[in-house]
Structure formats: C-alpha cells, structure tokens
Amino acid sequence: MGKYTFYILLILLLSSCAKNKFKRSTFLQELYDYKIAPELLEAETAFGSFENDWGTYISNTTSTNLTTAKVSFKEAITQMDRIQFYNLGEISETYIYNKFNKGSIDTLEMWNFYSSTSTITQNSVASLANPQKGVYAVEYLLYSSFTMDSLTSLKYRNWISAYINDVNENLSTLRSSWGVYKKNFIENEDDGVEGSFNIICNRIIHALEDMIDKRLSPVLTSNDKTQGIGYRSESWLSGVKENVQQIYDVYIGNGIQKFNSVHVYLRKKNKKLAEEVLSDFESIISHQNSLTQSMDWYLQNDIAAIEDYKQSLQELLITFKLDVSNAMGIVVTFGDTDGD
C-alpha cells in the first residue's frame, strides 16, 4: 500500500469516526440552527399567510376567499403542531404557549366576552384568560356550524381578526424569546435534570405522553370525535401524526440539514437498544403514513387501526422511560408543557 493511499484511508476513517461522535454543545447548536429557529420562523410565516388570506376574505367576502382562508389555516396549524415540541426549558417557564395553544377552550366565556364588548381589538383579546383565545378559539369561530350565518356580521369578522392578530403576536414573541434563550440552551451542557440534553430527552417522553393521553385516548375512550383537539378543522389525526413525526425527527436528527442526534448518543451507550428504538420509530412512522382516511372514517369503520397506533406509541414510551433513560443516564421528570 502506497503512503498516499494510506493517508487517504486514514482521513476517510477519521471522517467516519467524526460523524459518529456526539458532543452535546454541537448537538444543541445544530438542533437550534437546523430545526428550532427555521421551524419557528416557518410557523410564524404560515400563520401570517393565513392572516393575509383572512384579510382578503374580509375585503371580499366570497365563498372562494373563505375556502382559501380555511385551507391556509390548516396549513398554519400543521406548522404549529411541529413547534409544540419546543415548549421546553426556560421557554416553558414563560407560559407563552398557553397564550395561543390551549387545546380546550371555554366557548361560554368567549361568547360572554363577545356580547359584552362593543369594539373587539387585539388588546382586549390579549387580556382574556388563556382558554378564551388562541389558535383553537380561531378554529372554533372559523369552522363551527353557525359560522356561515355569523360571518354576515362585521363584529363577528372583527372578532376573528382580533384573535388572529393575537396569535400572530404571541408567535412573534415566542420566536424572539427563543432568540434570547438560545445562548443558555446551547451552553447548558450539564448532566443533571436542568441540562439541555436531559430536557430534550424528557421532552421526547412528555410529547409521547401528550399524544397518547391528551390527543388519542379521549377520542378512543369515548368514540366521540368532539373530544379530539382540532376536530372542527379535521386536524385531529393529522395533528397527532405531525407531532409524532416531529418527535422522530428530533430523535434522529432531521432538520433543514442532518445533524448529530439523540440516536447517535444512544448508539454509543447501547448499540442494540438504539437500533431497536430506530426500528420501532420507523414502524410507527410507516403505520401513521398508512392512516390516510379521516378521523370519522376510522371511528366508524376501523377504530382498531388507531388503537394499534396508540399501542405502538405506548410501547415506545415505556422503552424511553425505562431502557433509553437508563442507558443514557437521563433523569425522567414530570412534564405538562403542551399548554393545557
């Protein structure tokens, strides 16, 4: 073997090893750069596009423009499902998500506010309790059965506009807050409970719990679609799938650019377990990609398909809580950070 061939092989070997190394600071920096920052911007942009389409409808109240606004809303809510994962650490302590992401809304108090307020503005909406506003309040006003009649009222349309403005304002605040928080987040390499890596791993666990306990179980237990978050816009199942895809993407390192990930770290600690977890994730993603019908269809015709999906998530959750956390030295904490 020539010396140049030897050097080339050595460089390739070192390059391969570098790709399989895991450094917490690098992971945290890349997670922010390749996922958190671009997706926060994408969510804000998507909701801004919905606001523009709603403005077009306000200017010209045709059924076509209303349909366009509703399609735009569903695209925006998809992006907002993805960024739910980022309600963690110091950001969760600001409770900013609660201001726009309450899955359960108080429609009675919403109507009391409407009837008692002559001129509805963003400022008056901002002062409301969290269950009376936010993206699911917008969904309620935009998709409920009475909407078509109510939309003849200028006050009702202004009500929706004020709610939309308030959500956009909070999304902007969320992104700027992450801009401030990122330095602490990236530099916090502690091994303990407060370390950013520990927080991310716990967020995977808590996000899986949220999908099982708050999104899937209420609908499956009652066999009632109205128990599903996002059911009015038919976003319940797609919302669950989007959240699960996001959990997988964070775990494996999928962003606008691939990055070293939790999977790489777990592989260092327990290669066999890492491959089992990856296989379980891939099976779940394949399963959810096959769920192409509406929520109503599955509740009426094949509820077992959703039950099996939920069972797979439960098994993955147990694996993370017990085996993965033990292998990586993660302290599992209690979490309730989805805004509900």
Side-chain angles (χ1 to χ4, degrees):
M1 178 187 296
K3 65 178 181 179
Y4 293 113
T5 303
F6 172 77
Y7 287 136
I8 291 171
L9 290 174
L10 180 60
I11 291 170
L12 290 173
L13 177 62
L14 291 174
S15 175
S16 175
C17 290
K19 289 180 181 178
N20 290 315
K21 288 183 178 179
F22 182 90
K23 188 175 181 182
R24 291 190 181 188
S25 60
T26 301
F27 162 69
L28 296 169
Q29 181 72 62
E30 292 182 344
L31 176 63
Y32 180 80
D33 290 341
Y34 300 152
K35 279 198 70 62
I36 297 176
E39 288 179 1
L40 290 174
L41 176 59
E42 193 169 358
E44 188 178 351
T45 300
F47 211 84
S49 295
F50 162 58
E51 183 175 32
N52 290 337
D53 288 336
W54 174 253
T56 298
Y57 170 72
I58 292 293
S59 300
N60 185 12
T61 55
T62 66
S63 58
T64 299
N65 284 341
L66 179 59
T67 297
T68 298
K70 287 184 174 181
V71 170
S72 186
F73 175 83
K74 292 186 72 170
E75 291 171 353
I77 205 172
T78 295
Q79 298 303 324
M80 294 178 73
D81 278 321
R82 290 193 67 77
I83 66 168
Q84 284 192 60
F85 189 93
Y86 307 133
N87 187 21
L88 45 83
E90 291 179 0
I91 294 296
S92 68
E93 294 171 6
T94 69
Y95 299 103
I96 181 65
Y97 274 80
N98 296 53
K99 295 181 180 180
F100 67 86
N101 196 49
K102 297 293 287 187
S104 301
I105 56 172
D106 189 337
T107 58
L108 178 60
E109 285 302 316
M110 284 173 60
W111 282 106
N112 286 339
F113 164 73
Y114 180 74
S115 61
S116 63
T117 307
S118 56
T119 303
I120 300 176
T121 65
Q122 179 187 338
N123 286 338
S124 61
V125 169
S127 66
L128 294 173
N130 294 329
Q132 300 173 42
K133 59 187 178 182
V135 65
Y136 293 106
V138 173
E139 181 200 40
Y140 168 70
L141 298 178
L142 198 59
Y143 285 89
S144 294
S145 58
F146 55 77
T147 296
M148 289 309 298
D149 291 334
S150 300
L151 284 173
T152 60
S153 164
L154 176 60
K155 181 182 177 182
Y156 185 89
R157 296 198 298 268
N158 288 340
W159 190 15
I160 296 179
S161 296
Y163 272 45
I164 293 171
N165 292 340
D166 186 62
V167 171
N168 257 329
E169 181 69 23
N170 283 307
L171 284 173
S172 178
T173 300
L174 171 63
R175 193 161 67 91
S176 63
S177 297
W178 257 106
V180 173
Y181 170 50
K182 68 178 180 181
K183 185 176 186 295
N184 291 344
F185 173 74
I186 293 166
E187 294 180 354
N188 187 356
E189 300 179 53
D190 292 349
D191 291 329
V193 175
E194 299 300 324
S196 292
F197 184 72
N198 197 93
I199 289 172
I200 290 293
C201 293
N202 269 282
R203 187 68 182 114
I204 290 174
I205 291 171
H206 302 154
L208 284 170
E209 288 176 330
D210 287 345
M211 292 308 101
I212 294 165
D213 298 336
K214 297 183 179 181
R215 295 267 187 147
L216 290 169
S217 291
V219 175
L220 293 175
T221 301
S222 63
N223 196 22
D224 179 4
K225 72 174 186 179
T226 67
Q227 300 304 305
I229 296 173
Y231 81 90
R232 294 182 178 89
S233 59
E234 298 183 358
S235 300
W236 170 72
L237 183 54
S238 63
V240 176
K241 291 161 66 174
E242 199 65 46
N243 274 276
V244 172
Q245 180 68 51
Q246 178 71 314
I247 295 167
Y248 169 73
D249 287 344
V250 170
Y251 172 78
I252 201 64
N254 288 333
I256 58 173
Q257 183 174 320
K258 290 284 292 184
F259 57 93
N260 252 344
S261 60
V262 177
H263 175 68
V264 172
Y265 185 73
L266 178 59
R267 203 168 185 273
K268 285 178 55 180
K269 298 295 184 180
N270 188 325
K271 183 177 179 180
K272 181 180 178 181
L273 175 61
E275 295 310 308
E276 289 174 356
V277 170
L278 181 60
S279 177
D280 289 344
F281 258 126
E282 290 174 344
S283 177
I284 288 170
I285 297 299
S286 177
H287 186 170
Q288 72 176 29
N289 287 343
S290 72
L291 299 173
T292 57
Q293 301 294 332
S294 68
M295 171 178 63
D296 280 346
W297 189 90
Y298 286 109
L299 291 181
Q300 295 172 21
N301 299 289
D302 191 10
I303 197 169
I306 308 298
E307 292 280 9
D308 290 344
Y309 178 50
K310 174 187 168 185
Q311 180 62 32
S312 297
L313 292 175
Q314 286 177 319
E315 291 170 0
L316 181 62
L317 172 62
I318 292 170
T319 299
F320 263 93
K321 275 190 165 182
L322 300 179
D323 301 329
V324 174
S325 62
N326 183 61
M328 297 196 305
I330 298 300
V331 179
V332 179
T333 60
F334 173 78
D336 186 16
T337 58
D338 71 335
D340 287 335

